[in-house]
Amino acid sequence: MNNFIAASIIAADFFSLENEYKKLNQTDIKWVHFDIMDGHFVPNITIGSCDLDAILKKTNIPIDIHFMVDNPDYIVPLFIKNYSNKKISNVSVHVESCQNIKKLSNIVRKNKISFGLAINPNTSINKIINNLKYIDLALVMTVKPGFAGQKIIQKCINKVKKLRNYFDKNNISIPIQVDGGIKLENISSLSDAGANIYVSGTGIFNTNNYIKTVNKMKKIVE
Ligand code: DX5
Ligand code: ZN
């Protein structure tokens, strides 16, 4: 599996998004991670279709959408309809709020977008293991979702390890994505745990040189 870095765009400078993208284009990130929060599932409201429209019109880095919403069964199909054939690689929803994972997975996959399932820090990895048939990516949150710039929760690294062990023992090749509090200083612990896709927000955008930061991260995880 090719491990890679994704940049979480909510940590960017939204007043200078064009400039942020110019800098991201020079790095080796493979996805821009797009956090949609609804103010219900998490205590924050972030970005949505206006931002996504603007970004998709002008940029080429594939998008990975992370829905932190109470009603993914309702909103994701509507979203997908508006964005079919665009540069969206993956859509992840949370197991804590998704009512019908099988049905939603079918809808997303039919649009040639991979379907990810996310678990909060207090949610068991069994929720992922029980749904392997329907998912293309397993997102293990390493902070409580809601805000960029939080500190990584150590016990979540153990969950990644356990999931990696299970996947290896059972020959499962679904990538494990990790998201929240990931920085150059701690990325090796997640790489040792067996993660594949590393989402970093402030860990990239709060550094002076995105190229150097991403290169150093890449060297550790590859
Ligand atoms: C948290 C989001 C993360 C977050 C990452 O709810 O899902 O994607 O923006 O930002 P950092 O890396 O700063 O924790
Ligand atoms: Zn996220």
Side-chain angles (χ1 to χ4, degrees), residues 5-190:
I5 313 291
S8 180
I9 200 71
I10 61 164
D13 176 0
F14 265 69
F15 200 61
S16 308
L17 209 49
E18 186 175 353
N19 196 37
E20 295 284 48
Y21 253 90
K22 273 186 195 149
K23 293 200 255 175
L24 284 181
N25 274 326
Q26 296 167 359
T27 70
D28 256 332
I29 60 155
K30 294 282 178 284
W31 285 351
V32 163
H33 180 86
F34 193 91
D35 286 309
I36 298 184
M37 305 187 191
D38 67 350
H40 292 270
F41 184 72
V42 287
N44 194 9
I45 297 172
T46 51
I47 44 183
S49 46
C50 295
D51 316 73
L52 192 56
D53 285 341
I55 287 175
L56 283 170
K57 238 181 248 165
K58 299 283 176 68
T59 68
N60 283 314
I61 308 172
I63 308 261
D64 163 37
I65 306 182
H66 176 194
F67 279 93
M68 283 155 277
V69 300
D70 255 354
N71 56 353
D73 303 77
Y74 169 68
I75 200 68
V76 171
L78 297 176
F79 234 84
I80 300 296
K81 228 202 265 163
N82 288 337
Y83 293 102
S84 59
N85 298 322
K86 300 268 171 65
K87 291 153 264 179
I88 295 168
S89 291
N90 179 73
V91 162
S92 293
V93 303
H94 274 260
V95 73
E96 299 86 3
S97 61
C98 188
Q99 304 291 320
N100 192 333
I101 292 167
K102 181 180 175 184
K103 189 172 168 198
L104 192 54
S105 161
N106 273 337
I107 294 171
V108 171
R109 283 171 164 176
K110 259 193 199 136
N111 282 274
K112 298 196 181 86
I113 297 171
S114 72
F115 182 72
L117 196 59
I119 52 169
N120 280 339
N122 287 331
T123 302
S124 159
I125 57 165
N126 289 335
K127 298 271 179 187
I128 284 177
I129 292 170
N130 294 339
N131 286 292
L132 289 175
K133 262 198 275 178
Y134 312 119
I135 69 175
D136 307 298
L137 175 154
L139 168 49
V140 179
M141 289 304 297
T142 42
V143 298
K144 227 171 125 188
F147 299 90
Q150 303 180 72
K151 220 177 142 231
I152 197 164
I153 300 172
Q154 288 299 322
K155 72 165 187 203
C156 299
I157 302 177
N158 280 332
K159 288 169 69 183
V160 176
K161 259 186 220 162
K162 282 192 185 142
L163 193 60
R164 167 54 54 213
N165 277 340
Y166 182 89
F167 280 9
D168 285 352
K169 267 191 203 137
N170 294 282
N171 266 323
I172 289 154
S173 59
I174 295 170
I176 299 176
Q177 185 181 50
V178 282
D179 179 19
I182 297 166
K183 303 193 167 11
L184 193 52
E185 301 87 75
N186 60 23
I187 201 165
S188 65
S189 59
L190 289 156

